[in-house]
């Protein structure tokens, strides 16, 4: 997992100008893959534990040196999922759960004293370069016109629901604020014990590229005082109170550090929970998604923002919970279906990667893909012409390293692509159709 842990992802869009596209169809991208499905009484998927192969087509070298991860599944079903929408009363109940009888206000503006204190705190810190310190001179400029005291404006839940977003803050006796962000239009909400804090994992950092990340890397040598077992128990208790323990399972768990600016204030564990069904689980990482100009658009995308729950726990207990894109399973469309045979899946993967990486400008050479892992899991994709609903289907996530040479300089990127496990078509369950259309159109306009 990479990138910063925030309420919404930054969209990642990596494109190299195209030279040409292949004449043949890469992957069957069917919008009616459900039409020919037949349920089976029993079925087990036949795939090797590891697959190795070397192929070269259309200027692209494709190397499979991949672990094939096929969890033991009770069945391969397709389930309808409905997007959850919260009411005003439900938001109030959540806010009261985290801070009983609290006075909630709108996010207060920075006052003069805070801005000046922040400026000098940065100037005295050894976690900023001199160039960065100079850039923070704007804090003193802001302080000149900032108010001496902050007016407390009561937070209006009804208004936030109507407008589609809101940020509620509540003052602790120690002078810090708790925050509760709600995004009714996307179903996202987030509670943080200290509104000034951000939570980072070591694999979010890129010290080889950014000096600011290099300042933080040593912080992750310290072990949290809360154990993994205690952290999981606290997180599961939160899921139980949300009524989600039967549908969600732990997907990933990493050591994490809570920062106030660049100063570490707490060490703990960050856990990501995703939907699980029948032995399979939805994959999630913080890398976002990538689309490719050379490739036809995916057959399906996400019906709404990606579903997941991230919980950070330190020795004081629940510190932060980030909820995105929740849905509820409404009915089983197909109890058990057959998946595309493994040999045909490999061919679909090859053809799609050729579309994505083989055809570029003449100064791009030595394009190569090294496929490292192919995981069978779940994805939530849209249902055509049924807004607010999606399908939970079996899917393959292919993780690989893409390298190429541009004018004598070698570049490499870690990528992943998702395939419908039923027909092998290219899908993008990590973002919505609107985001895909906006990104493709804006990039084409800039060519």
């Amino acid at each position: 997992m990479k990138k910063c842990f925030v309420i919404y992802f930054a969209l990642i869009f990596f494109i190299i100008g195209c030279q040409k596209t292949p004449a043949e169809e890469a992957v069957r991208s069917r919008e009616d893959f459900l039409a020919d499905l037949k349920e089976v009484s029993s079925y087990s998927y036949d795939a090797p534990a590891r697959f190795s192969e070397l192929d070269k087509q259309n200027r692209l070298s494709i190397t499979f040196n991949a672990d094939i991860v096929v969890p033991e599944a009770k069945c391969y079903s397709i389930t309808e999922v409905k997007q959850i929408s919260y009411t005003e009363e439900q938001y109030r109940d959540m806010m009261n759960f985290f801070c009983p009888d609290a006075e909630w206000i709108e996010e207060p503006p920075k006052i003069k004293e805070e801005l000046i204190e922040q400026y000098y705190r940065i100037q005295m810190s050894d976690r900023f370069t001199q160039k960065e310190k100079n850039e923070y001179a704007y804090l003193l400029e802001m302080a000149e016109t900032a108010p001496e005291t902050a007016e407390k404006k009561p937070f209006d839940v009804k208004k936030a629901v109507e407008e589609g977003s809101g940020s509620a803050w509540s003052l602790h006796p120690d002078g810090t604020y708790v925050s509760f962000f709600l995004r009714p239009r996307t179903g996202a909400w987030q509670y943080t014990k200290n509104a000034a804090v951000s939570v980072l994992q070591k694999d979010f950092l890129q010290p080889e590229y950014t000096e600011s990340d290099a300042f933080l890397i040593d912080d992750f040598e310290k072990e949290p005082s809360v154990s993994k077992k205690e952290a999981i128990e606290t997180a599961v208790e939160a899921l139980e109170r949300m009524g989600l323990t039967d549908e969600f399972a732990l997907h990933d768990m990493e050591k994490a550090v809570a920062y106030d600016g660049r100063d570490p204030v707490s060490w703990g564990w960050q856990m990501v929970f995703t939907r699980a069904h029948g032995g399979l689980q939805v994959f999630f990482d913080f890398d976002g998604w990538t689309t490719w100009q050379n490739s036809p658009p995916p057959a399906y995308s996400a019906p709404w923002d990606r579903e997941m729950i991230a919980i950070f726990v330190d020795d004081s207990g629940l510190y932060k919970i980030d909820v995105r894109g929740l849905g509820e399973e409404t009915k089983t469309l197909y109890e058990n279906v057959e998946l595309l045979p493994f040999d045909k899946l490999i061919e679909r993967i090859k053809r799609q990667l050729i579309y994505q990486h083989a055809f570029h400008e003449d100064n791009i050479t030595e394009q190569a893909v090294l496929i490292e892992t192919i995981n069978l899991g779940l994805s939530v994709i849209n249902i055509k012409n049924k807004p607010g609903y999606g399908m939970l289907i079996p899917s393959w996530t292919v993780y690989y390293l893409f390298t190429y040479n541009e004018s004598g300089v070698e570049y490499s990127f870690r990528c992943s692509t998702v395939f419908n496990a039923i027909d092998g078509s290219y899908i993008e369950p990590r973002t919505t159709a609107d985001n895909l259309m906006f990104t493709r159109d804006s990039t084409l306009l800039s060519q």
Side-chain angles (χ1 to χ4, degrees):
M1 297 189 293
K2 313 285 184 196
K3 310 293 181 240
C4 290
F5 180 48
V6 294
I7 294 183
Y8 301 105
F9 304 120
L11 301 181
I12 304 168
F13 191 58
F14 168 65
I15 288 182
I16 301 174
C18 64
Q19 179 192 28
K20 58 181 179 178
T21 55
E24 60 186 297
E25 180 68 18
V27 177
R28 180 180 60 172
S29 296
R30 295 187 51 195
E31 296 188 355
D32 60 345
F33 76 96
L34 297 175
D36 301 329
L37 287 186
K38 294 180 180 179
E39 289 191 291
V40 293
S41 57
S42 62
Y43 175 67
S44 61
Y45 193 74
D46 184 22
R50 190 166 184 82
F51 180 73
S52 299
E53 183 179 284
L54 174 62
D55 196 0
K56 187 165 186 178
Q57 299 183 44
N58 301 91
R59 301 172 60 190
L60 179 68
S61 172
I62 304 176
T63 302
F64 287 85
N65 189 18
D67 292 323
I68 313 301
V69 182
V70 182
E72 185 175 344
K74 298 176 182 178
C75 59
Y76 300 111
S77 59
I78 301 177
T79 306
E80 184 183 81
V81 181
K82 181 181 179 181
Q83 185 179 19
I84 289 178
S85 297
Y86 298 101
T87 65
E88 294 175 35
E89 192 60 35
Q90 286 173 321
Y91 281 123
R92 290 191 180 95
D93 288 344
M94 285 190 280
M95 294 163 68
N96 192 57
F97 168 75
F98 291 116
C99 292
D101 302 318
E103 178 190 7
W104 291 96
I105 62 173
E106 294 182 6
E107 180 177 352
K110 289 279 190 180
I111 62 174
K112 185 184 299 290
E113 181 182 355
E114 290 174 329
L115 291 166
I116 294 174
E117 189 275 334
Q118 184 181 358
Y119 172 78
Y120 284 106
R121 181 179 170 186
I122 290 171
Q123 300 308 309
M124 299 297 292
S125 174
D126 58 1
R127 290 171 173 255
F128 293 83
T129 65
Q130 187 57 51
K131 180 181 178 182
E132 288 176 320
K133 291 179 179 181
N134 294 339
E135 291 171 351
Y136 278 96
Y138 74 88
L139 293 172
L140 292 180
E141 296 174 6
M142 291 176 60
E144 292 178 2
T145 56
E148 297 285 349
T149 59
E151 178 186 357
K152 292 183 179 180
K153 296 182 179 180
F155 180 75
D156 189 336
V157 178
K158 181 179 180 180
K159 179 182 176 183
V161 171
E162 291 173 349
E163 294 182 349
S165 66
S167 300
W169 293 49
S170 182
L171 184 63
H172 283 305
D174 64 2
T176 62
Y177 283 95
V178 63
S179 64
F180 186 87
F181 298 157
L182 53 150
R183 304 289 183 264
R185 289 174 184 166
T186 63
W189 58 268
Q190 182 187 95
Y191 158 79
T192 308
K193 181 180 175 181
N194 184 340
V197 159
S198 58
V199 177
L200 300 180
Q201 299 172 186
K202 186 176 181 179
D203 53 6
F204 290 178
L205 306 181
Q206 300 184 57
E208 65 273 28
Y209 300 117
T210 65
E211 288 183 284
S212 58
D213 283 359
F215 289 128
L216 311 182
I217 196 72
D218 290 342
D219 297 334
F220 291 85
E221 297 301 316
K222 180 177 177 178
E223 291 298 317
S225 56
V226 60
S227 69
K228 282 188 175 183
K229 181 176 180 295
E230 292 169 328
I232 292 174
E233 289 174 350
T234 299
V236 169
E237 181 182 357
L239 290 181
E240 288 176 346
R241 296 188 180 188
M242 296 168 64
L244 296 174
T245 47
D246 292 337
E247 298 180 30
F248 279 71
L250 181 64
H251 178 270
D252 193 26
M253 182 174 190
E254 299 287 341
K255 183 193 305 182
V257 181
Y259 286 92
D260 184 351
R262 288 190 193 159
D263 295 320
V265 295
S266 184
W267 283 258
W269 300 96
Q270 181 155 268
M271 293 149 282
V272 173
F273 294 84
T274 62
R275 185 171 296 277
H277 187 102
L280 300 181
Q281 188 170 5
V282 173
F283 289 111
F284 183 89
D285 59 48
F286 290 99
D287 281 337
W289 52 277
T290 308
T291 190
W292 314 90
Q293 183 180 334
N294 291 337
S295 172
Y300 286 84
S301 57
W304 50 79
D305 285 358
R306 286 175 83 183
E307 182 183 52
M308 73 97 194
I309 300 170
I311 298 176
F312 174 64
V313 174
D314 69 355
D315 57 6
S316 68
L318 183 65
Y319 200 105
K320 182 174 183 177
I321 179 167
D322 184 352
V323 177
R324 310 177 191 176
L326 287 192
E328 58 180 343
E329 298 175 24
T330 55
K331 62 182 177 181
T332 300
L333 302 176
Y334 294 87
E335 189 68 41
N336 199 10
V337 299
E338 293 187 7
L339 308 185
L340 188 72
F342 183 76
D343 59 340
K344 292 185 179 179
L345 171 69
I346 294 299
E347 291 305 312
R348 299 283 167 86
I349 292 172
K350 287 181 186 178
R351 300 311 309 166
Q352 180 61 32
L353 293 180
I354 288 171
Y355 256 117
Q356 292 178 181
H357 302 301
F359 300 91
H360 299 304
E361 297 172 347
D362 290 336
N363 63 330
I364 305 293
T365 60
E366 301 176 27
Q367 299 99 301
V369 164
L370 172 61
I371 299 171
E372 299 170 317
T373 311
I374 304 176
N375 284 340
L376 180 61
L378 297 172
S379 291
V380 179
I381 60 173
N382 60 306
I383 297 179
K384 304 296 182 179
N385 302 316
K386 195 171 183 180
Y389 286 82
M391 289 182 287
L392 185 68
I393 68 165
S395 63
W396 293 97
T397 303
V398 178
Y399 297 94
Y400 61 96
L401 180 69
F402 173 50
T403 60
Y404 64 94
N405 188 295
E406 181 177 9
S407 303
V409 180
E410 184 172 282
Y411 297 90
S412 64
F413 298 89
R414 293 209 170 273
C415 306
S416 59
T417 299
V418 186
F419 297 84
N420 184 334
I422 298 168
D423 70 351
S425 59
Y426 163 45
I427 60 176
E428 187 43 86
R430 296 168 291 189
T431 192
T432 62
D434 287 344
N435 281 338
L436 283 170
M437 184 65 67
F438 170 78
T439 311
R440 289 177 68 91
D441 288 351
S442 61
T443 304
L444 288 171
L445 288 170
S446 67
Q447 296 295 311

